[in-house]
Amino acid sequence: MTAAIATLKDRHAHLAGSLEKNRERLGAIIPIGTGLTPSRCIGVVLDAVVRTPALLKCTPASIVRATLQAAEVGLELGSPLGEAYLVPFWSRQANSEEAQFMAGYRGLIKLMCMAEQVSHIDARLVRQSDTFDYDYGTSPKIVHRPGIGDGRQRGDIVAAYAIIHYRDKGFQFDVMDRGELDKIRAGAKAREYSPWNQHTDEMFRKCPVRRLSKYARLSPLAKRCVELDDLGAMARGEYQGREVRDGFLSGRADELRGMLGAGDAPVTVVEGEIE
């Protein structure tokens, strides 16, 4: 037991050193006006690995890479704010545990609201006892009246939706039923320390926000965040082969290799998984 604790302390100290070596780089890429600092980036990541010791099994290089990606878009990685998660996964290419950046719904909303046209964004869960109805077409609308009680007192989650409100009084929304949400969760191959297991409600909220981001008016930081989120999902094998072959991989192979810890190894798609 003592040896194991010592090993964790050594890994934590080594990670702290690796992050400190990138302090100047962090300062150079953090977007102006986000309020984020290199010290904050490093501090929240070191706190995250203390709360989730399994992250210390990941290579320091992968944690540093995820930290830099979160800093690039101005999000706190692994903090209780839930802006972005540090997710461990097994990389067959690197033959090791690797950590990855995964955007949270709060982080996506924060960045999407940076677009000049966006007023605010709602992301809500619908439960069994709620009154819920919506229409698309020429007069789109959502009617949602929560049932009596708070949270799970209203029953299981049956749907999730997100609405982008624009400053010109226009809006866009997307609704996803429980079947769609569960399909995404299953595709994510959630492990013990995945946000899908530890923050399930938040991840259900993220799904319609994430889908809205595909056709909403986004800020440059939000676009980059979505791209990094896609790359991480691809590296974990969560995308279908056709979606990858249809062009997403084009121009991003080097970045994907880095996330896989694959060095200069070729990146290929085999039956929907990255090899």
Side-chain angles (χ1 to χ4, degrees):
M1 179 68 71
T2 302
I5 293 173
T7 299
L8 289 177
K9 285 184 177 179
D10 290 343
R11 290 178 179 174
H12 191 272
H14 180 61
L15 174 61
S18 297
L19 289 168
E20 282 295 336
K21 289 178 182 177
N22 284 272
R23 177 180 287 273
E24 185 176 344
R25 190 175 176 189
L26 285 167
I29 64 175
I30 293 173
I32 296 173
T34 60
L36 202 58
T37 65
S39 293
R40 181 65 181 168
C41 290
I42 293 171
V44 294
V45 169
L46 291 176
D47 286 346
V49 299
V50 169
R51 294 194 307 272
T52 308
L55 287 167
L56 287 172
K57 296 179 182 179
C58 299
T59 62
S62 68
I63 296 177
V64 169
R65 181 169 53 247
T67 303
L68 290 168
Q69 290 171 337
E72 182 186 348
V73 293
L75 298 181
E76 290 190 3
L77 182 65
S79 81
L81 292 177
E83 291 185 350
Y85 300 105
L86 191 58
V87 183
F89 85 110
W90 178 257
S91 170
R92 285 180 290 176
Q93 289 73 18
N95 194 34
S96 63
E97 288 283 344
E98 300 285 295
Q100 285 190 346
F101 162 89
M102 179 188 287
Y105 90 92
R106 290 184 179 90
L108 279 176
I109 287 177
K110 173 183 174 179
L111 298 181
M112 290 168 72
C113 284
M114 288 182 177
E116 185 176 344
Q117 308 96 322
V118 175
S119 170
H120 62 283
I121 298 173
D122 293 322
R124 300 188 183 277
L125 301 176
V126 183
R127 296 185 179 274
Q128 286 176 318
S129 67
D130 296 357
T131 298
F132 183 70
D133 194 13
Y134 65 97
D135 290 321
Y136 288 124
T138 56
S139 300
K141 69 174 182 178
I142 287 181
V143 176
H144 181 200
R145 299 187 183 92
I148 297 174
D150 185 25
R152 286 171 177 76
Q153 293 178 334
R154 292 165 26 221
D156 291 337
I157 295 169
V158 295
Y161 66 93
I163 309 172
I164 299 180
H165 301 267
Y166 293 108
R167 297 189 188 281
D168 62 6
K169 306 304 181 183
F171 63 91
Q172 290 176 287
F173 68 81
D174 206 323
V175 179
M176 301 180 72
D177 64 28
R178 184 59 186 263
E180 292 177 288
L181 299 173
D182 284 340
K183 185 176 180 180
I184 293 174
R185 183 180 185 180
K189 304 176 182 178
R191 298 170 58 189
E192 180 182 357
Y193 296 105
S194 166
W196 276 107
N197 288 328
Q198 297 184 319
H199 308 283
T200 307
D201 288 7
E202 285 82 354
M203 293 304 291
F204 279 159
R205 289 177 189 263
K206 177 186 173 181
C207 290
V209 174
R210 184 69 182 73
R211 198 156 75 177
L212 266 181
S213 72
K214 293 295 186 180
Y215 49 86
R217 311 168 202 172
L218 298 183
S219 68
L221 285 181
K223 289 179 181 178
R224 178 58 176 161
C225 182
V226 169
E227 184 177 84
L228 289 172
D229 209 44
D230 278 346
L231 283 166
M234 191 185 301
R236 294 187 298 272
E238 296 171 11
Y239 272 112
Q240 295 300 310
R242 178 175 297 278
E243 186 167 358
V244 177
R245 287 193 298 269
D246 282 349
F248 184 81
L249 187 57
S250 176
R252 299 178 177 89
D254 289 342
E255 199 165 9
L256 181 57
R257 274 195 290 267
M259 296 183 78
L260 289 166
D264 294 326
V267 176
T268 57
V269 181
V270 180
E271 293 300 321
E273 293 193 357
I274 304 298
E275 291 287 353

